[in-house]
Amino acid sequence: MNIAQILKAKGRAVATVRPDAPLSEIIDKLAQKRIGAIVVVGDNGEVAGIISERDIIRRLAERGEAVLKEPVAQSMTTSVISCQGTSTLDEIMEVMTQGRFRHVPVIEDGALVGIVSIGDIVKHRVQEMERDSVAMRDYILTA
Ligand code: AMP
């Protein structure tokens, strides 16, 4: 299974913000949309960074509530690891494990076309395993 198949099931919507949005706005969006990370996009729609709930917690712990008024650009991760529709679930699981992050934006021809979270990966992996197990049981019963 690949990432394009996951996007087909979950849709291509990606929550984004501009680099100058204050951290308080990010918190509101994360809570409203019940998600764990937001992609930060620049003027030309290019991916400028990613900010997750972990970054915000760390910033608050380090510097206190004053950071809530600061632009997200000061707290986001700028070296974003992305993938393509052709990337496989196994590849992305490896990328998430090695990088210790739970979100990977999907970029095709320079455009942001989706995002996958570790929750999406686990959900589809479990479905895949269930299908394999049913196929194996059918095979054993009919052999
Ligand atoms: P997460 O597990 O997604 O909450 O993110 C943990 C840390 O990794 C945070 O500092 C994020 O900004 C960063 N991060 C999340 N996703 C990515 C990604 N795709 N590429 C690079 N860094 C990321």
Side-chain angles (χ1 to χ4, degrees):
M1 178 172 272
N2 66 18
I3 297 303
Q5 288 168 282
I6 293 188
L7 291 188
K8 212 170 173 186
K10 74 170 274 197
R12 291 176 158 235
V14 188
T16 61
V17 287
R18 305 301 292 267
D20 58 358
L23 227 48
S24 57
E25 191 182 311
I26 314 300
I27 292 177
D28 286 345
K29 268 203 173 172
L30 290 174
Q32 262 172 28
K33 295 179 180 288
R34 297 172 173 270
I35 53 176
I38 290 189
V39 179
V40 183
V41 294
D43 285 343
N44 302 318
E46 80 283 5
V47 172
I50 189 164
I51 178 113
S52 92
E53 52 204 0
R54 288 195 180 169
D55 298 312
I56 298 171
I57 298 290
R58 203 175 308 127
R59 279 294 201 194
L60 278 168
E62 284 165 4
R63 312 231 336 269
E65 66 183 56
V67 295
L68 297 178
K69 292 185 184 143
E70 290 180 1
V72 62
Q74 291 185 22
S75 300
M76 68 190 187
T77 299
T78 51
S79 50
V80 180
I81 307 289
S82 62
C83 68
Q84 295 184 312
T86 51
S87 308
T88 66
L89 252 65
D90 285 346
E91 284 165 2
I92 301 310
M93 277 166 65
E94 179 68 17
V95 163
M96 285 179 170
T97 306
Q98 291 297 326
R100 294 174 171 269
F101 48 71
R102 299 165 294 173
H103 302 88
V104 179
V106 189
I107 296 180
E108 300 223 292
D109 298 326
L112 180 62
V113 297
I115 188 165
V116 287
S117 73
I118 199 161
D120 300 319
I121 302 286
V122 169
K123 182 177 155 194
H124 284 83
R125 177 50 105 209
V126 168
Q127 285 173 355
E128 222 173 38
M129 285 163 63
E130 280 168 354
R131 277 197 299 272
D132 287 352
S133 139
V134 168
M136 182 67 80
R137 205 170 47 220
D138 288 351
Y139 173 74
I140 292 167
L141 289 176
T142 55

